[in-house]
Amino acid sequence: MARVQLGRSAVYDLLRTRQLASITLGRAQRIPTHALADFIRTRLDQEAAA
């Protein structure tokens, strides 16, 4: 899967606003591959609708 070039702050903002799903394992937050794919698909759909 292609990389998404987002800074750390941007990723944390997306997690905080629940635009990007994650799971917590111990103290670490992990973003499942399907959550990233869903996020990208949603953004592409929004851009196509605009």
Side-chain angles (χ1 to χ4, degrees), residues 22-48:
S22 70
I23 59 171
T24 303
L25 300 172
R27 293 175 52 193
Q29 271 189 311
R30 300 291 182 227
I31 301 168
T33 303
H34 69 83
L36 187 56
D38 290 345
F39 171 75
I40 293 170
R41 191 176 309 109
T42 300
R43 293 293 299 254
L44 288 173
D45 290 347
Q46 289 173 347
E47 286 186 19

Side-chain angles (χ1 to χ4, degrees), residues 11-29:
V11 171
Y12 281 124
D13 285 343
L14 292 170
L15 294 170
R16 184 178 45 76
T17 59
R18 299 190 186 267
Q19 295 179 54
L20 185 57
S22 70
I23 59 171
T24 303
L25 300 172
R27 293 175 52 193
Q29 271 189 311

